[in-house]
Amino acid sequence: MRGRFITFEGIDGAGKSTHIEPVAEQLRASGHTVVVTREPGGTPLAERLRELLLNAPMDALTEALLVFAARRDHVQQVIAPALARGDTVLCDRFTDATFAYQGAGRGFDSAVLKTLESWVHAELQPDLTFWFDVSAEQAAERLAAARTPDRFEQQDATFFSRVSDGYRVRAETYSQRFVRIDSSVDRDAVSRQVMTALAGRCW
Ligand code: TYD
């Protein structure tokens, strides 16, 4: 049987990444074989494209093409084989991020993104998507304390409000697989929401 595909999404500073390993541990404890990966990235080629995406100036179409080029390699080399083996795949961001960042954030044509999506992974969609929802202002405060910003993290709060709206639309459209996590609260409270949602799936 095909394994489960679980993705983690949210604007920069939403705090999603710290919750992936605990979810992996929980699933391993219940007997699942778990692959943890991320986008852009997850293969040597896609990690090289990630470096470019996060640092090199480029226009929105180039950005969209590189994101999907990285995804193509990642799906073929890592995600699809793992799911075919029956493993559970936990992925830090996937195509919802492209609709949120390149689509809503950059204002790039979502019809083109849909076409690229259908070329790259037509039949493959996540089974569950955790959306870590936090205001653009709170996310910016967290980021300011954290690290040197990359090309996306340098964007202003209005950009992240648009990205957030993009995620909201995705969550409404794909309400079956989206679980909204209130990420404005402290880390333990966020973690409890994630674990409760996971337990509710009985995997
Ligand atoms: P991120 O998960 O934030 O990595 P880190 O926590 O290590 O900074 O992902 C890197 C950036 O890539 C993030 O700012 C969002 C951006 N991104 C897109 O713009 N489109 C996409 O399709 C993906 C997967 C990521």
Short mmCIF file of all heavy atoms in Angstrom, two decimals, residues 8-10 39 67 71 93-103 163 167 170:
data_model
loop_
_atom_site.label_atom_id
_atom_site.label_comp_id
_atom_site.label_asym_id
_atom_site.label_seq_id
_atom_site.Cartn_x
_atom_site.Cartn_y
_atom_site.Cartn_z
N PHE A 8 4.29 20.16 5.72
CA PHE A 8 4.30 21.20 6.76
C PHE A 8 4.46 22.54 6.06
O PHE A 8 5.43 22.75 5.32
CB PHE A 8 5.47 20.96 7.73
CG PHE A 8 5.34 19.67 8.51
CD1 PHE A 8 5.57 18.45 7.89
CD2 PHE A 8 4.98 19.69 9.84
CE1 PHE A 8 5.42 17.26 8.59
CE2 PHE A 8 4.83 18.50 10.56
CZ PHE A 8 5.05 17.29 9.93
N GLU A 9 3.52 23.43 6.30
CA GLU A 9 3.50 24.70 5.57
C GLU A 9 3.28 25.88 6.51
O GLU A 9 2.78 25.71 7.63
CB GLU A 9 2.35 24.69 4.54
CG GLU A 9 2.47 23.60 3.47
CD GLU A 9 3.47 23.97 2.36
OE1 GLU A 9 4.07 25.06 2.40
OE2 GLU A 9 3.64 23.14 1.44
N GLY A 10 3.60 27.06 6.01
CA GLY A 10 3.38 28.28 6.78
C GLY A 10 4.37 29.35 6.32
O GLY A 10 5.34 29.03 5.64
N GLU A 39 11.62 21.02 1.03
CA GLU A 39 11.65 21.72 -0.26
C GLU A 39 11.87 23.21 -0.05
O GLU A 39 11.39 23.75 0.95
CB GLU A 39 10.34 21.50 -1.00
CG GLU A 39 10.20 20.08 -1.50
CD GLU A 39 9.44 19.97 -2.81
OE1 GLU A 39 8.73 20.92 -3.18
OE2 GLU A 39 9.56 18.94 -3.45
N VAL A 67 11.75 26.22 -8.78
CA VAL A 67 11.06 25.50 -7.70
C VAL A 67 10.52 24.17 -8.21
O VAL A 67 10.70 23.12 -7.60
CB VAL A 67 9.90 26.36 -7.12
CG1 VAL A 67 8.92 25.50 -6.34
CG2 VAL A 67 10.43 27.47 -6.24
N ARG A 71 11.55 20.32 -7.49
CA ARG A 71 10.48 19.39 -7.04
C ARG A 71 10.45 18.13 -7.91
O ARG A 71 10.25 17.04 -7.41
CB ARG A 71 9.15 20.13 -7.09
CG ARG A 71 7.97 19.32 -6.60
CD ARG A 71 6.80 20.23 -6.26
NE ARG A 71 7.18 21.15 -5.21
CZ ARG A 71 6.89 22.45 -5.19
NH1 ARG A 71 6.15 22.98 -6.14
NH2 ARG A 71 7.31 23.21 -4.19
N ARG A 93 7.44 21.80 3.53
CA ARG A 93 6.96 22.53 2.35
C ARG A 93 6.82 21.62 1.13
O ARG A 93 7.59 20.70 0.92
CB ARG A 93 7.85 23.71 1.95
CG ARG A 93 8.00 24.78 3.02
CD ARG A 93 8.68 26.00 2.43
NE ARG A 93 8.94 27.02 3.43
CZ ARG A 93 8.03 27.85 3.91
NH1 ARG A 93 6.79 27.79 3.49
NH2 ARG A 93 8.35 28.76 4.81
N PHE A 94 5.81 21.97 0.31
CA PHE A 94 5.61 21.31 -0.99
C PHE A 94 4.87 22.32 -1.87
O PHE A 94 5.03 23.53 -1.69
CB PHE A 94 4.86 19.97 -0.80
CG PHE A 94 4.90 19.05 -1.98
CD1 PHE A 94 6.11 18.56 -2.46
CD2 PHE A 94 3.73 18.64 -2.62
CE1 PHE A 94 6.16 17.70 -3.56
CE2 PHE A 94 3.77 17.78 -3.71
CZ PHE A 94 4.98 17.32 -4.18
N THR A 95 4.05 21.84 -2.79
CA THR A 95 3.48 22.74 -3.81
C THR A 95 2.54 23.82 -3.25
O THR A 95 2.40 24.88 -3.86
CB THR A 95 2.79 21.89 -4.89
OG1 THR A 95 3.81 21.05 -5.47
CG2 THR A 95 2.17 22.72 -5.98
N ASP A 96 1.93 23.58 -2.09
CA ASP A 96 1.12 24.67 -1.50
C ASP A 96 1.99 25.91 -1.30
O ASP A 96 1.50 27.04 -1.44
CB ASP A 96 0.54 24.23 -0.15
CG ASP A 96 -0.48 23.11 -0.31
OD1 ASP A 96 -1.39 23.25 -1.16
OD2 ASP A 96 -0.36 22.09 0.39
N ALA A 97 3.28 25.71 -0.97
CA ALA A 97 4.19 26.85 -0.79
C ALA A 97 4.37 27.62 -2.09
O ALA A 97 4.51 28.85 -2.08
CB ALA A 97 5.55 26.37 -0.27
N THR A 98 4.35 26.92 -3.20
CA THR A 98 4.52 27.60 -4.49
C THR A 98 3.30 28.47 -4.80
O THR A 98 3.44 29.61 -5.27
CB THR A 98 4.73 26.56 -5.62
OG1 THR A 98 5.70 25.63 -5.19
CG2 THR A 98 5.19 27.24 -6.90
N PHE A 99 2.11 27.93 -4.53
CA PHE A 99 0.90 28.75 -4.75
C PHE A 99 0.86 29.93 -3.78
O PHE A 99 0.40 31.02 -4.13
CB PHE A 99 -0.35 27.88 -4.64
CG PHE A 99 -0.59 27.04 -5.87
CD1 PHE A 99 -0.10 25.75 -5.95
CD2 PHE A 99 -1.26 27.57 -6.97
CE1 PHE A 99 -0.28 24.98 -7.10
CE2 PHE A 99 -1.44 26.81 -8.13
CZ PHE A 99 -0.95 25.51 -8.20
N ALA A 100 1.35 29.71 -2.55
CA ALA A 100 1.34 30.80 -1.56
C ALA A 100 2.43 31.84 -1.86
O ALA A 100 2.14 33.05 -1.88
CB ALA A 100 1.52 30.21 -0.17
N TYR A 101 3.68 31.40 -2.10
CA TYR A 101 4.80 32.34 -2.28
C TYR A 101 4.86 32.92 -3.70
O TYR A 101 4.87 34.13 -3.88
CB TYR A 101 6.14 31.68 -1.93
CG TYR A 101 6.43 31.66 -0.44
CD1 TYR A 101 5.82 30.71 0.37
CD2 TYR A 101 7.28 32.58 0.14
CE1 TYR A 101 6.07 30.68 1.74
CE2 TYR A 101 7.54 32.56 1.51
CZ TYR A 101 6.93 31.61 2.30
OH TYR A 101 7.18 31.59 3.65
N GLN A 102 4.96 32.02 -4.69
CA GLN A 102 5.09 32.53 -6.07
C GLN A 102 3.74 33.06 -6.55
O GLN A 102 3.68 34.07 -7.26
CB GLN A 102 5.61 31.43 -7.00
CG GLN A 102 7.13 31.20 -6.93
CD GLN A 102 7.59 30.69 -5.59
OE1 GLN A 102 7.06 29.72 -5.06
NE2 GLN A 102 8.59 31.35 -5.02
N GLY A 103 2.65 32.37 -6.20
CA GLY A 103 1.32 32.78 -6.64
C GLY A 103 0.85 34.02 -5.89
O GLY A 103 0.87 35.13 -6.41
N VAL A 163 1.15 36.03 1.28
CA VAL A 163 1.46 34.59 1.32
C VAL A 163 0.49 33.88 2.27
O VAL A 163 -0.05 32.81 1.96
CB VAL A 163 2.93 34.36 1.76
CG1 VAL A 163 3.21 32.87 1.92
CG2 VAL A 163 3.89 34.97 0.76
N TYR A 167 -2.13 30.82 1.61
CA TYR A 167 -2.32 29.56 2.36
C TYR A 167 -3.77 29.40 2.80
O TYR A 167 -4.31 28.29 2.77
CB TYR A 167 -1.40 29.54 3.59
CG TYR A 167 0.00 29.05 3.29
CD1 TYR A 167 1.12 29.82 3.59
CD2 TYR A 167 0.22 27.79 2.71
CE1 TYR A 167 2.41 29.37 3.33
CE2 TYR A 167 1.50 27.33 2.44
CZ TYR A 167 2.58 28.12 2.76
OH TYR A 167 3.85 27.66 2.49
N ARG A 170 -5.78 28.08 -0.02
CA ARG A 170 -5.46 26.66 -0.23
C ARG A 170 -6.16 25.81 0.84
O ARG A 170 -6.71 24.75 0.55
CB ARG A 170 -3.96 26.40 -0.14
CG ARG A 170 -3.11 27.13 -1.16
CD ARG A 170 -3.20 26.60 -2.54
NE ARG A 170 -2.59 25.30 -2.73
CZ ARG A 170 -2.68 24.62 -3.88
NH1 ARG A 170 -3.37 25.12 -4.90
NH2 ARG A 170 -2.10 23.44 -4.01
#
